Amino acid sequence: KKLKLNEHSFTKYNRVIELHGISVQNKIIENQLLQNWIAFETLLVGYENTTKIDQVLKNLIPFLMIRYVRLQINELLRDINRFDKKFFYSQIKKIPEGDNLIEKFTAILVLDKYKSNRIDFYQRLEFSPLNKFRLSQFHKIFSNVEELRNHIEKHRVKVEWQIKRMYRTRNLIVHAGVVPSFTESLVENSHTYLDTLISTINHLCINENSIRSIEQGLKEIEIVYNKQKNILKEVKSIDDNNFLKVLL
């Protein structure tokens, strides 16, 4: 009832929800992939005179990229907080930058002036070696522009590769009746990708109240994605003035 999409877009959206519901309930792996791929094509294809796979790639990748770094930082934040909530909040309270937990934690993660705070985290995480390692790796990547660019580009290539594998596997299932051994992992990714696509459209339509059609949503995310790429291309270093804009 809260979705204010026009009739044509709502029909598409409603169909995708039905397809995803059928996919989730279906116990046959290859059927899940087929239903999810039809859902992708329903939402992402029909706006340009290019191949279906090219349209899916062009329109889906921005949805999967625009919050990639933020999601990684937020996941580490949650895991460290879960490990030692009292210590985590005692450190966060010391940070003047940022308006919320993720902004303050990102400041600790990347800014040189909070090196002593990071050292306190490393010491506290001696009994959580995985979180300690992730904290160290994220500091190395997210505090250096070149490392950050490489990190994001590697992820984009992996996402593109996975989408193409889904499409090739879908074709093998439909045209040759072949189900490759790696299909289950592709199905898992297809559910994640579709969830991200749907939840982002929900956010734009309900929370942002900024779109009235699926096509408008695709264009808005494309604009945001291109803006992020331009910011990353233009920035020379990550510092107090730009770290929130670059990373979050």
Side-chain angles (χ1 to χ4, degrees):
K1 292 180 180 179
K2 293 181 180 179
L3 285 169
K4 298 176 182 178
L5 294 170
N6 63 36
E7 185 177 355
H8 179 63
S9 289
F10 187 82
T11 299
K12 282 188 169 187
Y13 180 93
N14 200 39
R15 177 62 176 149
V16 165
I17 299 301
E18 290 176 355
L19 288 166
H20 201 198
I22 293 169
S23 174
V24 168
Q25 293 174 2
N26 201 308
K27 295 182 180 180
I28 302 173
I29 288 295
E30 56 266 35
N31 287 347
Q32 291 189 37
L33 184 63
L34 295 179
Q35 297 293 342
N36 286 348
W37 189 264
I38 295 171
F40 286 134
E41 290 194 359
T42 301
L43 285 179
L44 303 173
V45 171
Y47 310 103
E48 299 177 11
N49 292 321
T50 57
T51 65
K52 289 181 178 180
I53 180 61
D54 285 342
Q55 290 184 62
V56 171
L57 287 167
K58 180 191 173 188
N59 291 321
L60 181 57
I61 287 175
F63 279 83
L64 304 176
M65 293 298 298
I66 57 171
R67 292 172 61 84
Y68 172 56
V69 171
R70 185 185 184 96
L71 288 172
Q72 284 195 300
I73 294 173
N74 197 49
E75 184 178 352
L76 178 60
L77 180 161
R78 290 199 311 267
D79 289 344
I80 294 177
N81 184 35
R82 191 179 299 117
F83 173 72
D84 193 331
K85 187 173 184 177
K86 184 177 180 181
F87 171 78
F88 178 82
Y89 277 93
S90 70
Q91 292 294 317
I92 289 296
K93 287 178 182 177
K94 301 175 184 177
I95 310 303
E97 272 98 354
D99 298 324
N100 51 50
L101 286 182
I102 191 169
E103 291 182 0
K104 292 178 180 296
F105 180 70
T106 303
I108 294 173
L109 186 63
V110 302
L111 298 183
D112 287 340
K113 63 183 178 181
Y114 296 122
K115 182 177 179 179
S116 62
N117 300 84
R118 281 196 302 279
I119 291 173
D120 288 341
F121 269 97
Y122 292 141
Q123 292 173 344
R124 193 70 174 185
L125 294 172
E126 282 296 328
F127 293 102
S128 182
L130 179 57
N131 282 330
K132 181 179 179 180
F133 173 76
R134 289 163 66 205
L135 182 68
S136 174
Q137 286 297 104
F138 283 2
H139 168 68
K140 177 184 175 183
I141 294 168
F142 297 149
S143 61
N144 182 286
V145 173
E146 197 58 40
E147 291 271 3
L148 179 60
R149 290 191 189 112
N150 292 337
H151 180 69
I152 291 173
E153 178 58 17
K154 284 180 182 178
H155 182 64
R156 188 200 64 78
V157 170
K158 287 179 180 178
V159 167
E160 181 177 330
W161 179 61
Q162 285 285 57
I163 296 170
K164 288 180 177 178
R165 286 183 82 200
M166 289 175 198
Y167 183 62
R168 288 195 298 269
T169 303
R170 175 261 179 204
N171 289 342
L172 281 172
I173 294 168
V174 171
H175 300 300
V178 175
V179 182
S181 59
F182 51 76
T183 301
E184 188 169 352
S185 64
L186 292 180
V187 169
E188 186 175 341
N189 282 324
S190 73
H191 281 298
T192 301
Y193 292 178
L194 190 54
D195 285 341
T196 300
L197 179 59
I198 292 170
S199 63
T200 306
I201 291 173
N202 289 348
H203 178 76
L204 292 175
C205 194
I206 298 170
N207 301 91
E208 296 288 337
N209 195 27
S210 61
I211 66 169
R212 290 294 177 269
S213 71
I214 300 299
E215 190 172 8
Q216 287 178 354
L218 302 183
K219 181 57 66 176
E220 182 158 335
I221 295 301
E222 180 186 2
I223 291 169
V224 172
Y225 180 50
N226 287 332
K227 182 180 179 181
Q228 287 184 348
K229 290 195 294 184
N230 288 334
I231 289 171
L232 197 58
K233 187 186 298 182
E234 293 168 2
V235 73
K236 304 299 181 184
S237 62
I238 295 173
D239 55 36
D240 301 28
N241 298 317
N242 64 23
F243 76 101
L244 293 178
K245 181 170 70 172
V246 174
L247 296 171
L248 302 181

